[in-house]
Amino acid sequence: MDAQVILPTGANPRARNSGYATQPPLQRFLANCYEEFQSDHSGAVADYIPELQRANPEHFGVALVTIDGHVYEVGDSAVPFTIQSVSKAFVFALALETVGEERVAAAIGVEPSGEAFNSIRLTNDNRPFNPMVNAGAIACSGLIHQVHGAAAFERIREKLSRFAGRELGVDDAVHQSEVITGNRNRAIAWLLCNYAVIQGDVDAVLDTYFRQCAVLVTARDLAVMAATLANRGINPVTGLQVITPHVVARTLSVMTSSGMYDYAGEWIYRVGMPAKSGVGGGIVAALPSQLGLGTFSPRLDGHGNSARGIKVCEALSARFDLHMLNRSADVRTCIIADYDIYGISSRRSRQPHEQQILDDHHSDIRVIELVGALNFAAIDYVTRRLSGEPPNAPLLILDFRRVPDITSAGARLLGENLTILGNAGVTTILAGVETTSAVSEAICGQIVGHHRLRRFVLLDDAIEWAEDQIIYRHGGFTASRETSHLGEQALLAGLTAEEIAILAELSTARHYEVGQRIICAGEPANSLFFVQSGMVSVKLPSGVRLASLGPGMEFGEMAIIEHKRSADVWADSAVRCLELPLDGIADYRQLHPQIAIKIMRNLSALLARRLILANAKVDLLSAY
């Protein structure tokens, strides 16, 4: 097939040559690898299975899949070939899932063999050395066959298909060729039967093994399968959980030590990714939490690995420093901000006496905003911050809105720490998480006693709830507050009693029910409102809340300087307010311009306070 990326002019007569400069860097890198290594004719097509000799030695395809499901492809990435020994890694995973780790370990070891992949030698306790050699792979097929009988192969094919994200077929000709030439595998199988590693119908187990090796895949399939392992068992293309993270870790471990035949040590030294190769010309490599790689080229080197595939993997690892043991990270970057609420209040507008309580007790609320995928080391750093200076506030808000994932070890460590804090009287509020989110469930599942735990989707809602707790604890909510006097409105500060009385006469009493929209964005801005009782929320049409207002506060005041409403206002509770139409006082303002001047001065002060608050939040984040 044609190359599937755009290459430089003259790079390859089969490739298109327009728009190369617009390709992403990784796509261009793979294209350059394809161009450079396709001229490498070293190695030879496998011949011990006659049907494999029919492979086109010039075929060469590469695919790379990221854990968010993006696919890069170059060359013959859609050409089908038989999976052969690459299947061993995925069938081992299926065996672990089917019969459990204890039963698999009783039948198969996990140590490198130091022998050829088709060696008939077993360990001292008569087990195959590991699942990546033929003896171990046949034993895996036998374990699955014990459970599923005649349906064993179909179960294997279904699992491989889920790894690949599409239905996979079988090359019947290759299967028959394997059956005809498989005497060495028969010897291995009967030896395993002799030691009760295989039980039941040996020929049926062998046929299951031969068929799994003849499953047809492409380089793209292998990349998706590898990315599924790299993504903790979730296929990044289909989104399906194919295998558990526990099984993934065991599978990658054995791939690391034994996946590349007797080149395994050199491979992990040079490339540093768990991988498995097959004599069909395929290589699959998985870099946890980053990518899956699949290559196809039938020419094999002296170790039985694809010669071109090895070069691609080595070049990719070296160019982008992808060796799994050469990692660096600063755990301190997991905290993007750590602050109390001084000058950083919620969007809830407060009465002066309420705001004074918050100003006096601002250090009673601590907010820590986290970022990135959190692992054991990152959470250890967080818990040390919580145990250090300043001392813990009685209300602790942890914001997870920028956290896509947390490892089980991290969740366990954090859960234990929050349990300790809860026992010491600290109430923890998790923000930025849905109740059913994976991060929330992982953390809450580790906390003993949830009576001191709250969860909110929005950080602002969490801060508002914490503020209410502080105000309540210090006597700020002694009774439901109402105000009917316009002199208490901040917008009308400084007006005389006579001036306020005149405005009151021009106002109309309004009542709104819970959930009723009072103002609609886009409507003409021709009046403003003074809240006497109840609560309202100012929201953008998208639903984002800009502010919450209560008695003694006003909304719609921007009508003074704009012609259309820029936001919606909703009644959060039963609301009683006064509506002051602007056109009703237009003539009066001409006679008493001092009223307009005072109101505009007050409006300027309100807007200035909002700007100061917004700048404080920007400065807070920019400081980290």
Side-chain angles (χ1 to χ4, degrees):
M1 62 172 283
D2 288 343
Q4 297 180 11
V5 297
I6 301 172
L7 302 178
T9 302
N12 187 323
R14 300 192 303 152
R16 300 183 295 274
N17 57 19
S18 61
Y20 177 72
T22 65
Q23 294 294 312
L26 189 52
Q27 185 77 61
R28 296 178 67 181
F29 175 81
L30 295 179
N32 290 335
C33 286
Y34 179 86
E35 177 187 3
E36 178 180 357
F37 300 136
Q38 69 170 339
S39 60
D40 182 352
H41 298 293
S42 63
V45 174
D47 59 4
Y48 76 96
I49 299 174
E51 194 63 26
L52 295 183
Q53 289 183 287
R54 299 168 58 87
N56 183 344
E58 300 309 315
H59 277 155
F60 181 27
V62 181
L64 185 151
V65 176
T66 62
I67 60 169
D68 65 338
H70 186 81
V71 181
Y72 295 98
E73 298 179 80
V74 62
D76 302 312
S77 60
V79 170
F81 59 95
T82 52
I83 191 170
Q84 297 298 325
S85 287
V86 175
S87 66
K88 293 172 179 176
F90 302 96
V91 175
F92 172 58
L94 177 57
L96 289 172
E97 180 185 69
T98 302
V99 302
E101 187 173 355
E102 183 177 351
R103 189 168 169 188
V104 171
I108 308 165
V110 292
E111 298 293 340
S113 68
E115 303 283 343
F117 70 95
N118 59 354
S119 171
I120 303 180
R121 182 167 169 259
L122 302 177
T123 64
N124 292 335
D125 58 354
N126 300 313
R127 294 181 301 159
F129 281 90
N130 61 72
M132 302 298 119
V133 295
N134 286 14
I138 294 170
C140 283
S141 299
L143 291 172
I144 297 169
H145 191 273
Q146 287 181 39
V147 175
H148 295 289
F153 170 70
E154 184 58 24
R155 182 72 183 91
I156 291 172
R157 189 195 66 79
E158 289 174 353
K159 180 62 75 172
L160 295 179
S161 296
R162 293 191 69 194
F163 269 108
R166 72 178 185 92
E167 287 296 313
L168 301 178
V170 177
D171 188 322
D172 292 326
V174 172
H175 169 238
Q176 288 301 316
S177 189
E178 298 239 23
V179 170
I180 293 171
T181 60
N183 287 333
R184 189 176 186 87
N185 284 327
R186 287 188 178 87
I188 293 172
W190 283 106
L191 179 63
L192 295 175
C193 179
N194 181 68
Y195 291 111
V197 175
I198 288 181
Q199 300 176 18
D201 190 336
V202 175
D203 289 332
V205 171
L206 274 170
D207 191 64
T208 298
Y209 173 71
F210 290 145
R211 285 186 184 277
Q212 79 184 44
C213 291
V215 168
L216 286 166
V217 293
T218 65
R220 185 186 192 280
D221 292 331
L222 292 186
V224 175
M225 296 169 81
T228 301
L229 292 176
N231 195 33
R232 293 170 54 83
I234 299 174
N235 186 310
V237 175
T238 66
L240 296 176
Q241 183 82 52
V242 179
I243 209 81
T244 66
H246 179 84
V247 170
V248 168
R250 273 63 191 164
T251 302
L252 292 176
S253 298
V254 179
M255 290 171 65
T256 299
S257 65
S258 309
M260 298 298 288
Y261 301 127
D262 52 355
Y263 187 68
E266 190 81 7
W267 167 272
I268 207 63
Y269 178 80
R270 294 184 180 278
V271 179
M273 299 184 206
K276 186 70 191 83
S277 62
V279 295
I283 294 178
V284 62
L287 185 58
S289 300
Q290 296 197 56
L291 60 88
L293 181 66
T295 68
F296 166 54
S297 181
R299 294 181 184 271
L300 309 180
D301 62 17
H303 298 285
N305 300 314
S306 170
R308 290 170 175 165
I310 290 286
K311 291 182 180 296
V312 170
C313 296
E314 289 181 344
L316 180 70
S317 179
R319 175 67 179 83
F320 297 106
D321 192 20
L322 298 181
H323 197 293
M324 66 179 185
L325 299 181
N326 188 19
R327 305 266 62 85
S328 62
D330 185 348
V331 296
R332 293 172 294 182
T333 61
C334 70
I335 295 181
I336 195 173
D338 184 350
Y339 54 93
D340 62 34
I341 63 166
Y342 185 74
I344 312 292
S345 62
S346 68
R347 292 185 175 93
R348 169 85 170 271
S349 297
R350 299 290 182 178
Q351 295 288 345
H353 76 286
E354 295 173 351
Q355 189 59 54
Q356 187 60 53
I357 291 173
L358 294 177
D359 290 345
D360 292 342
H361 301 278
H362 60 85
S363 61
D364 285 355
I365 301 174
R366 184 179 185 182
V367 183
I368 296 180
E369 298 186 28
L370 303 169
V371 63
L374 302 179
N375 57 19
F376 175 84
I379 292 299
D380 172 64
Y381 174 70
V382 172
T383 60
R384 283 187 279 113
R385 283 283 286 265
L386 293 175
S387 302
E389 295 293 335
N392 282 307
L395 292 164
L396 170 66
I397 300 175
L398 298 178
D399 180 40
F400 287 86
R401 59 185 155 149
R402 302 181 186 89
V403 175
D405 187 32
I406 184 170
T407 65
S408 58
R412 185 175 300 112
L413 194 61
L414 182 59
E416 291 176 2
N417 188 248
L418 296 184
T419 298
I420 293 171
L421 292 177
N423 293 335
V426 175
T427 297
T428 299
I429 305 113
L430 305 184
V433 294
E434 299 280 355
T435 303
T436 58
S437 72
V439 171
S440 177
E441 291 182 346
I443 297 171
C444 294
Q446 301 296 330
I447 299 176
V448 179
H450 288 229
H451 61 288
R452 291 193 177 273
L453 180 70
R454 297 292 185 275
R455 285 177 282 193
F456 293 90
V457 175
L458 300 178
L459 174 60
D460 189 68
D461 290 345
I463 294 176
E464 180 179 328
W465 184 87
E467 289 174 347
D468 287 344
Q469 299 302 304
I470 296 301
I471 294 170
Y472 175 79
R473 293 176 186 183
H474 295 278
F477 294 148
T478 55
S480 298
R481 181 171 172 79
E482 294 191 7
T483 176
S484 58
H485 196 279
L486 290 181
E488 298 183 33
Q489 303 289 338
L491 188 64
L492 304 181
L495 271 67
T496 66
E498 180 182 357
E499 290 169 339
I500 290 174
I502 293 172
L503 294 178
E505 290 180 2
L506 295 172
S507 301
T508 302
R510 303 291 187 191
H511 295 83
Y512 300 95
E513 300 299 324
V514 177
Q516 186 174 354
R517 182 158 56 184
I518 304 172
I519 286 178
C520 182
E523 291 179 344
N526 51 23
S527 64
L528 58 92
F529 297 77
F530 300 102
V531 182
Q532 295 179 298
S533 66
M535 293 293 301
V536 300
S537 286
V538 183
K539 297 182 179 180
L540 293 175
S542 63
V544 175
R545 187 179 64 162
L546 301 178
S548 291
L549 309 171
M553 300 174 188
E554 64 286 317
F555 61 89
E557 70 276 11
M558 297 303 292
I560 298 173
I561 57 177
E562 65 183 9
H563 301 293
K564 286 189 176 182
R565 304 293 190 189
S566 57
D568 299 327
V569 178
W570 297 83
D572 294 336
S573 65
V575 173
R576 182 168 59 86
C577 58
L578 292 177
E579 181 180 10
L580 176 61
L582 297 184
D583 56 358
I585 64 169
D587 294 337
Y588 187 82
R589 282 189 297 176
Q590 297 296 324
L591 297 174
H592 302 279
Q594 71 277 9
I595 292 181
I597 293 173
K598 291 177 180 178
I599 291 175
M600 290 303 295
R601 184 183 298 120
N602 292 333
L603 178 60
S604 298
L606 289 172
L607 295 178
R609 283 198 294 271
R610 293 173 189 172
L611 182 60
I612 291 171
L613 177 60
N615 286 337
K617 291 185 177 181
V618 171
D619 292 342
L620 172 69
L621 292 177
S622 62
Y624 281 80

